[in-house]
């Protein structure tokens, strides 16, 4: 079974593959750190590095965390 971080990273990288094809946006997941009650995602988009910490106290699934990242990253 793949870890939560690997699943989210794969989803983010797939997201950027499609974003490049559709809009010319480049990006990739750089790192995911899982804490006791949070997950921190670091990614690069169009050459700029970004980071986001998401509270994970409700034991969200990797899919839910990916969608939170996608909606909040802008």
């Amino acid at each position: 079974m793949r870890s939560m971080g690997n699943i989210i990273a794969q989803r983010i990288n797939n997201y950027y593959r499609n974003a490049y094809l559709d809009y010319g946006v480049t990006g990739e997941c750089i790192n995911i750190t899982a804490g006791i009650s949070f997950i921190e995602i670091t990614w690069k988009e169009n050459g700029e590095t970004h980071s986001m910490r998401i509270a994970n106290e409700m034991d969200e699934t990797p899919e839910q965390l990916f969608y939170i990242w996608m909606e909040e990253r802008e």
Side-chain angles (χ1 to χ4, degrees):
M1 176 182 276
R2 296 181 298 165
S3 73
M4 180 183 297
N6 288 340
I7 294 168
I8 297 168
Q10 182 180 19
R11 289 295 313 264
I12 291 171
N13 290 330
N14 286 339
Y15 170 85
Y16 280 114
R17 274 193 279 284
N18 291 329
Y20 179 75
L21 294 173
D22 294 340
Y23 306 107
V25 175
T26 60
E28 66 178 326
C29 181
I30 296 172
N31 188 43
I32 296 185
T33 304
I36 294 172
S37 61
F38 70 91
I39 187 161
E40 186 167 358
I41 301 171
T42 305
W43 72 97
K44 188 178 278 191
E45 181 172 308
N46 289 331
E48 294 183 22
T49 302
H50 305 273
S51 184
M52 177 189 300
R53 184 176 279 199
I54 302 169
N56 189 21
E57 296 172 352
M58 302 296 289
D59 292 326
E60 285 91 350
T61 66
E63 189 78 11
Q64 290 169 317
L65 292 168
F66 168 75
Y67 283 115
I68 291 169
W69 169 83
M70 191 171 66
E71 291 174 7
E72 299 292 326
R73 76 183 209 311
E74 301 180 294

Coordinates of all heavy atoms in Angstrom, one line a residue:
M1 N 0.8 -1.2 0.0 CA 0.0 0.0 0.0 C 0.9 1.3 0.0 O 1.8 1.3 0.7 CB -0.9 0.0 1.2 CG -1.7 1.3 1.4 SD -2.7 1.3 2.8 CE -4.1 0.4 2.3
R2 N 0.6 2.2 -0.9 CA 1.3 3.4 -0.9 C 1.0 4.4 0.2 O -0.1 4.4 0.7 CB 1.1 4.1 -2.3 CG 1.5 3.3 -3.5 CD 1.3 4.0 -4.7 NE -0.2 4.3 -4.9 CZ -0.7 5.1 -5.7 NH1 0.0 5.8 -6.5 NH2 -2.0 5.2 -5.8
S3 N 2.0 5.1 0.6 CA 1.7 6.1 1.7 C 0.9 7.2 1.2 O 0.8 7.5 0.1 CB 3.0 6.6 2.3 OG 3.6 7.5 1.4
M4 N 0.2 7.9 2.2 CA -0.6 9.1 1.9 C 0.2 10.1 1.1 O -0.3 10.7 0.1 CB -1.2 9.7 3.1 CG -2.0 10.9 2.9 SD -2.7 11.7 4.4 CE -3.7 10.4 5.1
G5 N 1.4 10.4 1.5 CA 2.2 11.4 0.8 C 2.5 11.1 -0.6 O 2.4 11.9 -1.5
N6 N 2.8 9.8 -0.9 CA 3.0 9.4 -2.3 C 1.8 9.5 -3.1 O 1.9 9.9 -4.3 CB 3.5 7.9 -2.3 CG 4.9 7.8 -1.7 OD1 5.7 8.7 -1.7 ND2 5.3 6.6 -1.3
I7 N 0.7 9.2 -2.6 CA -0.6 9.3 -3.3 C -0.9 10.8 -3.7 O -1.2 11.1 -4.8 CB -1.8 8.7 -2.6 CG1 -1.6 7.2 -2.4 CG2 -3.1 9.0 -3.2 CD1 -2.5 6.5 -1.4
I8 N -0.7 11.6 -2.7 CA -1.0 13.1 -3.0 C 0.1 13.6 -4.0 O -0.3 14.4 -4.9 CB -0.9 13.9 -1.7 CG1 -2.0 13.4 -0.7 CG2 -1.0 15.4 -1.9 CD1 -1.9 13.9 0.7
A9 N 1.3 13.3 -3.8 CA 2.4 13.7 -4.8 C 2.0 13.3 -6.2 O 2.2 14.0 -7.1 CB 3.7 13.2 -4.3
Q10 N 1.6 12.0 -6.3 CA 1.3 11.5 -7.7 C 0.1 12.3 -8.3 O 0.1 12.7 -9.4 CB 0.9 10.0 -7.6 CG 0.6 9.5 -9.0 CD 0.3 8.0 -8.9 OE1 0.0 7.5 -7.9 NE2 0.4 7.3 -10.1
R11 N -0.9 12.6 -7.4 CA -2.1 13.4 -7.9 C -1.6 14.8 -8.3 O -2.1 15.3 -9.4 CB -3.1 13.5 -6.8 CG -3.9 12.2 -6.5 CD -4.7 11.7 -7.7 NE -5.6 12.7 -8.3 CZ -6.8 13.0 -8.1 NH1 -7.5 12.2 -7.2 NH2 -7.5 13.9 -8.7
I12 N -0.8 15.4 -7.6 CA -0.3 16.8 -7.9 C 0.5 16.7 -9.2 O 0.3 17.6 -10.1 CB 0.5 17.4 -6.7 CG1 -0.4 17.7 -5.6 CG2 1.3 18.6 -7.2 CD1 0.3 18.0 -4.3
N13 N 1.4 15.8 -9.3 CA 2.2 15.7 -10.6 C 1.3 15.4 -11.8 O 1.6 16.0 -12.9 CB 3.3 14.6 -10.4 CG 4.4 15.1 -9.4 OD1 4.6 16.3 -9.3 ND2 5.0 14.2 -8.7
N14 N 0.3 14.6 -11.6 CA -0.7 14.3 -12.7 C -1.4 15.6 -13.1 O -1.7 15.9 -14.2 CB -1.6 13.2 -12.4 CG -1.0 11.9 -12.4 OD1 0.0 11.6 -13.1 ND2 -1.6 10.9 -11.7
Y15 N -1.8 16.4 -12.0 CA -2.5 17.6 -12.2 C -1.6 18.6 -13.1 O -2.1 19.2 -14.0 CB -2.8 18.3 -10.9 CG -3.2 19.7 -10.9 CD1 -4.6 20.0 -11.1 CD2 -2.4 20.7 -10.8 CE1 -5.1 21.3 -11.2 CE2 -2.8 22.0 -10.9 CZ -4.2 22.3 -11.0 OH -4.6 23.6 -11.1
Y16 N -0.3 18.7 -12.8 CA 0.5 19.5 -13.5 C 0.8 19.0 -14.9 O 1.0 19.8 -15.9 CB 1.8 19.8 -12.8 CG 1.6 20.9 -11.7 CD1 1.7 20.7 -10.4 CD2 1.3 22.2 -12.1 CE1 1.5 21.6 -9.4 CE2 1.0 23.2 -11.2 CZ 1.2 22.9 -9.9 OH 0.9 23.9 -8.9
R17 N 0.9 17.7 -15.1 CA 1.0 17.2 -16.5 C -0.2 17.7 -17.4 O 0.0 18.1 -18.5 CB 1.1 15.7 -16.5 CG 2.5 15.1 -16.3 CD 2.6 13.7 -16.6 NE 2.2 12.8 -15.5 CZ 2.8 12.5 -14.4 NH1 4.0 13.1 -14.2 NH2 2.3 11.7 -13.5
N18 N -1.4 17.6 -16.8 CA -2.5 18.0 -17.6 C -2.6 19.5 -17.7 O -2.9 20.0 -18.8 CB -3.8 17.5 -16.9 CG -4.0 16.0 -17.0 OD1 -3.5 15.4 -17.9 ND2 -4.6 15.4 -16.0
A19 N -2.2 20.3 -16.7 CA -2.1 21.7 -16.8 C -1.1 22.2 -17.8 O -1.4 23.2 -18.5 CB -1.8 22.3 -15.4
Y20 N 0.0 21.5 -18.0 CA 0.9 21.8 -19.0 C 0.3 21.6 -20.4 O 0.4 22.5 -21.3 CB 2.2 21.0 -18.9 CG 3.2 21.4 -20.0 CD1 3.9 22.6 -19.9 CD2 3.4 20.5 -21.1 CE1 4.8 22.9 -20.9 CE2 4.3 20.9 -22.1 CZ 5.0 22.1 -22.0 OH 5.9 22.4 -23.0
L21 N -0.3 20.5 -20.6 CA -1.0 20.2 -21.9 C -2.1 21.2 -22.2 O -2.2 21.6 -23.4 CB -1.5 18.8 -21.9 CG -0.5 17.7 -21.9 CD1 -1.2 16.3 -21.7 CD2 0.4 17.7 -23.1
D22 N -2.9 21.6 -21.2 CA -4.0 22.4 -21.5 C -3.7 23.9 -21.4 O -4.3 24.7 -22.2 CB -5.1 22.1 -20.4 CG -5.7 20.8 -20.5 OD1 -5.6 20.1 -21.6 OD2 -6.3 20.3 -19.5
Y23 N -2.8 24.3 -20.6 CA -2.5 25.8 -20.3 C -1.1 26.2 -20.4 O -0.8 27.4 -20.2 CB -3.1 26.2 -19.0 CG -4.6 25.8 -18.8 CD1 -4.9 24.7 -18.0 CD2 -5.6 26.5 -19.5 CE1 -6.3 24.4 -17.8 CE2 -6.9 26.1 -19.4 CZ -7.2 25.1 -18.5 OH -8.6 24.7 -18.4
G24 N -0.2 25.3 -20.6 CA 1.2 25.6 -20.6 C 1.8 25.9 -19.2 O 2.9 26.5 -19.1
V25 N 1.1 25.5 -18.1 CA 1.6 25.7 -16.8 C 2.5 24.5 -16.4 O 2.1 23.3 -16.5 CB 0.4 25.7 -15.8 CG1 0.9 25.8 -14.4 CG2 -0.5 26.9 -16.1
T26 N 3.7 24.8 -15.9 CA 4.6 23.8 -15.5 C 4.6 23.7 -13.9 O 4.4 24.7 -13.3 CB 6.1 24.0 -15.9 OG1 6.5 25.3 -15.4 CG2 6.2 24.1 -17.4
G27 N 4.8 22.5 -13.4 CA 4.8 22.4 -12.0 C 5.1 20.9 -11.6 O 5.1 20.0 -12.4
E28 N 5.4 20.8 -10.3 CA 5.7 19.5 -9.7 C 5.6 19.5 -8.2 O 5.8 20.6 -7.6 CB 7.0 19.0 -10.1 CG 8.2 19.8 -9.6 CD 9.6 19.3 -9.9 OE1 9.7 18.1 -10.0 OE2 10.4 20.1 -10.1
C29 N 5.3 18.4 -7.6 CA 5.4 18.3 -6.1 C 6.8 18.1 -5.7 O 7.5 17.2 -6.3 CB 4.5 17.1 -5.7 SG 4.5 16.9 -3.9
I30 N 7.3 18.9 -4.8 CA 8.7 18.8 -4.3 C 8.8 17.9 -3.1 O 9.7 17.0 -3.0 CB 9.3 20.2 -4.1 CG1 9.3 21.0 -5.4 CG2 10.6 20.1 -3.5 CD1 9.7 22.4 -5.2
N31 N 7.9 18.1 -2.1 CA 8.0 17.4 -0.9 C 6.6 17.4 -0.2 O 5.9 18.3 -0.3 CB 9.0 18.0 0.0 CG 9.3 17.2 1.3 OD1 9.4 16.0 1.2 ND2 9.4 17.9 2.4
I32 N 6.4 16.3 0.6 CA 5.2 16.2 1.4 C 5.7 15.7 2.8 O 6.3 14.7 2.9 CB 4.1 15.3 0.8 CG1 3.6 15.9 -0.5 CG2 3.0 15.1 1.8 CD1 2.5 15.2 -1.1
T33 N 5.3 16.5 3.8 CA 5.7 16.2 5.2 C 4.4 15.9 6.0 O 3.5 16.8 6.0 CB 6.5 17.3 5.8 OG1 7.6 17.6 5.0 CG2 6.9 16.9 7.2
A34 N 4.3 14.8 6.6 CA 3.1 14.5 7.4 C 3.4 14.6 8.8 O 4.3 13.9 9.3 CB 2.6 13.1 7.1
G35 N 2.7 15.5 9.5 CA 2.9 15.6 11.0 C 1.8 14.9 11.7 O 1.0 14.2 11.1
I36 N 1.7 15.1 13.0 CA 0.6 14.4 13.8 C -0.8 14.9 13.4 O -1.7 14.1 13.2 CB 0.9 14.7 15.3 CG1 2.2 14.0 15.7 CG2 -0.3 14.1 16.1 CD1 2.6 14.3 17.1
S37 N -1.0 16.2 13.2 CA -2.3 16.7 12.9 C -2.3 17.6 11.6 O -3.2 18.4 11.5 CB -2.9 17.4 14.1 OG -2.1 18.5 14.4
F38 N -1.3 17.5 10.8 CA -1.2 18.3 9.6 C -0.4 17.6 8.5 O 0.3 16.6 8.8 CB -0.5 19.6 9.9 CG 1.0 19.5 10.1 CD1 1.9 19.6 9.1 CD2 1.4 19.3 11.4 CE1 3.2 19.5 9.3 CE2 2.8 19.1 11.7 CZ 3.7 19.2 10.6
I39 N -0.5 18.1 7.3 CA 0.3 17.7 6.2 C 0.8 18.9 5.5 O 0.0 19.9 5.3 CB -0.5 16.7 5.2 CG1 0.5 16.1 4.2 CG2 -1.6 17.4 4.6 CD1 0.0 14.9 3.5
E40 N 2.1 19.0 5.2 CA 2.6 20.1 4.5 C 3.1 19.7 3.1 O 3.8 18.8 3.0 CB 3.8 20.7 5.3 CG 4.3 22.0 4.7 CD 5.3 22.7 5.7 OE1 5.5 22.2 6.8 OE2 5.8 23.7 5.2
I41 N 2.6 20.5 2.2 CA 2.9 20.2 0.8 C 3.8 21.3 0.2 O 3.4 22.5 0.4 CB 1.6 20.1 -0.1 CG1 0.7 19.0 0.5 CG2 1.9 19.9 -1.5 CD1 -0.7 19.0 -0.1
T42 N 4.9 21.0 -0.4 CA 5.7 22.0 -1.1 C 5.7 21.6 -2.6 O 6.0 20.5 -2.9 CB 7.2 21.9 -0.5 OG1 7.1 22.1 0.9 CG2 8.0 23.0 -1.1
W43 N 5.5 22.6 -3.4 CA 5.5 22.4 -4.8 C 6.0 23.6 -5.6 O 6.3 24.6 -5.0 CB 4.0 22.1 -5.3 CG 3.1 23.3 -5.3 CD1 2.8 24.1 -6.4 CD2 2.4 23.9 -4.2 NE1 2.0 25.1 -6.0 CE2 1.7 25.0 -4.7 CE3 2.3 23.6 -2.8 CZ2 0.9 25.8 -3.8 CZ3 1.6 24.4 -2.0 CH2 0.9 25.5 -2.5
K44 N 6.3 23.3 -6.8 CA 6.9 24.4 -7.7 C 5.9 24.6 -8.9 O 5.5 23.6 -9.5 CB 8.3 24.0 -8.2 CG 8.9 25.1 -9.0 CD 10.3 24.7 -9.4 CE 11.3 24.9 -8.2 NZ 12.7 24.7 -8.6
E45 N 5.6 25.8 -9.1 CA 4.7 26.1 -10.2 C 5.3 27.3 -11.0 O 5.5 28.4 -10.5 CB 3.3 26.5 -9.8 CG 2.3 26.8 -10.9 CD 0.9 27.0 -10.4 OE1 0.4 26.1 -9.7 OE2 0.3 28.0 -10.8
N46 N 5.5 27.1 -12.3 CA 6.1 28.1 -13.2 C 7.4 28.7 -12.6 O 7.6 29.9 -12.6 CB 5.1 29.1 -13.5 CG 4.1 28.6 -14.5 OD1 4.3 27.7 -15.3 ND2 2.9 29.2 -14.4
G47 N 8.2 27.8 -12.0 CA 9.5 28.2 -11.4 C 9.5 28.8 -10.0 O 10.5 29.1 -9.4
E48 N 8.3 29.0 -9.4 CA 8.2 29.6 -8.1 C 7.8 28.4 -7.1 O 6.9 27.6 -7.4 CB 7.1 30.6 -8.0 CG 7.4 31.9 -8.8 CD 6.3 32.9 -8.7 OE1 5.5 32.9 -7.7 OE2 6.2 33.8 -9.5
T49 N 8.5 28.4 -6.0 CA 8.3 27.4 -4.9 C 7.2 27.9 -4.0 O 7.3 29.1 -3.5 CB 9.6 27.1 -4.2 OG1 10.5 26.6 -5.2 CG2 9.3 26.0 -3.2
H50 N 6.3 27.1 -3.6 CA 5.2 27.4 -2.7 C 5.1 26.3 -1.7 O 5.5 25.1 -1.9 CB 3.8 27.5 -3.5 CG 3.8 28.4 -4.6 ND1 3.6 29.7 -4.5 CD2 4.1 28.2 -5.9 CE1 3.7 30.3 -5.6 NE2 4.0 29.4 -6.5
S51 N 4.5 26.6 -0.5 CA 4.3 25.6 0.5 C 2.9 25.9 1.2 O 2.5 27.1 1.3 CB 5.4 25.8 1.6 OG 5.2 24.8 2.5
M52 N 2.2 24.8 1.6 CA 0.9 24.9 2.3 C 0.9 23.9 3.3 O 1.2 22.7 3.1 CB -0.2 24.7 1.2 CG -1.6 24.7 1.8 SD -2.9 24.2 0.7 CE -2.7 25.4 -0.6
R53 N 0.4 24.3 4.5 CA 0.1 23.4 5.6 C -1.4 23.2 5.7 O -2.1 24.2 5.9 CB 0.7 23.9 6.9 CG 0.6 22.9 8.0 CD 1.3 23.4 9.3 NE 2.7 23.1 9.1 CZ 3.6 23.1 10.1 NH1 3.1 23.3 11.4 NH2 4.8 22.8 10.0
I54 N -1.8 22.0 5.7 CA -3.3 21.6 5.8 C -3.5 20.8 7.1 O -2.8 19.8 7.3 CB -3.7 20.8 4.6 CG1 -3.5 21.5 3.3 CG2 -5.2 20.5 4.7 CD1 -3.7 20.7 2.1
A55 N -4.4 21.3 7.9 CA -4.7 20.6 9.2 C -5.4 19.3 8.7 O -6.2 19.2 7.8 CB -5.7 21.4 10.0
N56 N -5.0 18.2 9.4 CA -5.5 16.9 9.1 C -6.0 16.2 10.4 O -5.6 15.1 10.7 CB -4.5 16.0 8.3 CG -5.1 14.8 7.8 OD1 -6.3 14.6 7.6 ND2 -4.3 13.8 7.5
E57 N -6.8 16.9 11.1 CA -7.3 16.4 12.4 C -8.5 15.4 12.2 O -8.8 14.7 13.1 CB -7.6 17.5 13.3 CG -6.4 18.4 13.7 CD -6.8 19.6 14.4 OE1 -8.0 19.9 14.6 OE2 -5.8 20.3 14.9
M58 N -9.1 15.5 11.1 CA -10.3 14.7 10.8 C -10.0 13.4 10.0 O -10.8 12.7 9.5 CB -11.4 15.5 10.1 CG -11.8 16.7 10.8 SD -12.6 16.4 12.4 CE -14.1 15.8 11.8
D59 N -8.7 13.1 9.8 CA -8.2 12.0 9.1 C -8.8 11.9 7.7 O -9.4 10.9 7.2 CB -8.5 10.7 9.8 CG -7.7 10.5 11.1 OD1 -6.6 11.0 11.1 OD2 -8.2 10.0 12.1
E60 N -8.6 13.1 7.0 CA -9.1 13.1 5.6 C -8.3 12.1 4.7 O -7.2 11.8 5.0 CB -8.9 14.5 5.0 CG -9.9 15.6 5.5 CD -9.4 16.3 6.7 OE1 -8.4 15.9 7.3 OE2 -10.1 17.3 7.1
T61 N -8.9 11.7 3.6 CA -8.3 10.8 2.7 C -7.3 11.6 1.9 O -7.4 12.8 1.7 CB -9.3 10.1 1.8 OG1 -9.9 11.1 1.0 CG2 -10.4 9.4 2.6
P62 N -6.3 10.9 1.2 CA -5.4 11.6 0.3 C -6.2 12.3 -0.8 O -5.8 13.4 -1.2 CB -4.6 10.4 -0.3 CG -4.6 9.4 0.7 CD -6.0 9.5 1.4
E63 N -7.3 11.8 -1.3 CA -8.1 12.4 -2.3 C -8.7 13.7 -1.8 O -8.6 14.8 -2.4 CB -9.2 11.5 -2.7 CG -10.0 12.0 -3.9 CD -9.3 11.7 -5.2 OE1 -8.3 11.0 -5.2 OE2 -9.7 12.3 -6.2
Q64 N -9.2 13.7 -0.5 CA -9.7 15.0 0.1 C -8.6 16.0 0.3 O -8.8 17.2 0.0 CB -10.4 14.6 1.4 CG -11.7 13.9 1.3 CD -12.1 13.3 2.6 OE1 -11.4 12.8 3.4 NE2 -13.5 13.5 2.8
L65 N -7.4 15.6 0.7 CA -6.3 16.5 0.9 C -5.9 17.1 -0.4 O -5.5 18.3 -0.5 CB -5.2 15.8 1.6 CG -5.5 15.5 3.1 CD1 -4.4 14.5 3.6 CD2 -5.6 16.7 3.9
F66 N -5.8 16.3 -1.5 CA -5.5 16.8 -2.8 C -6.5 17.9 -3.2 O -6.1 19.0 -3.7 CB -5.5 15.7 -3.8 CG -5.4 16.2 -5.2 CD1 -4.2 16.7 -5.8 CD2 -6.5 16.2 -6.0 CE1 -4.2 17.2 -7.1 CE2 -6.5 16.7 -7.3 CZ -5.3 17.2 -7.9
Y67 N -7.8 17.7 -3.1 CA -8.8 18.7 -3.5 C -8.7 19.9 -2.6 O -8.9 21.0 -3.1 CB -10.2 18.1 -3.5 CG -10.4 17.2 -4.7 CD1 -10.6 15.9 -4.5 CD2 -10.4 17.7 -5.9 CE1 -10.9 15.0 -5.6 CE2 -10.6 16.9 -7.1 CZ -10.8 15.6 -6.9 OH -11.0 14.8 -8.0
I68 N -8.3 19.8 -1.3 CA -8.1 21.0 -0.5 C -6.9 21.8 -1.0 O -7.0 23.0 -1.2 CB -7.9 20.6 1.0 CG1 -9.2 20.0 1.6 CG2 -7.4 21.8 1.8 CD1 -9.0 19.4 2.9
W69 N -5.8 21.1 -1.3 CA -4.7 21.7 -1.9 C -5.1 22.5 -3.2 O -4.7 23.6 -3.4 CB -3.6 20.7 -2.2 CG -2.4 21.3 -3.0 CD1 -1.4 22.0 -2.5 CD2 -2.3 21.2 -4.4 NE1 -0.6 22.4 -3.6 CE2 -1.1 21.9 -4.8 CE3 -3.0 20.6 -5.4 CZ2 -0.7 22.0 -6.1 CZ3 -2.6 20.7 -6.7 CH2 -1.4 21.4 -7.0
M70 N -5.7 21.8 -4.1 CA -6.1 22.3 -5.4 C -6.9 23.6 -5.2 O -6.7 24.6 -6.0 CB -6.8 21.3 -6.2 CG -7.0 21.6 -7.7 SD -7.6 20.3 -8.7 CE -9.2 20.1 -8.0
E71 N -7.9 23.6 -4.3 CA -8.8 24.7 -4.2 C -8.1 25.9 -3.4 O -8.4 27.0 -3.7 CB -10.0 24.3 -3.4 CG -10.9 23.4 -4.2 CD -12.1 22.9 -3.4 OE1 -12.3 23.3 -2.2 OE2 -12.8 22.0 -3.9
E72 N -7.2 25.6 -2.5 CA -6.6 26.6 -1.7 C -5.3 27.2 -2.2 O -4.8 28.2 -1.7 CB -6.4 26.1 -0.3 CG -7.6 25.6 0.5 CD -8.5 26.8 0.8 OE1 -8.0 27.9 1.1 OE2 -9.8 26.6 0.8
R73 N -4.7 26.6 -3.2 CA -3.4 27.0 -3.6 C -3.3 28.3 -4.4 O -2.3 28.9 -4.5 CB -2.7 25.9 -4.5 CG -3.3 25.8 -5.9 CD -2.7 24.7 -6.7 NE -2.6 24.9 -8.1 CZ -3.6 25.4 -8.8 NH1 -4.8 25.7 -8.3 NH2 -3.4 25.6 -10.1
E74 N -4.4 28.8 -4.8 CA -4.4 30.0 -5.6 C -4.4 31.2 -4.8 O -4.8 31.5 -3.8 CB -5.7 30.0 -6.5 CG -5.6 28.7 -7.4 CD -6.7 28.6 -8.4 OE1 -7.8 28.4 -7.9 OE2 -6.4 28.8 -9.6

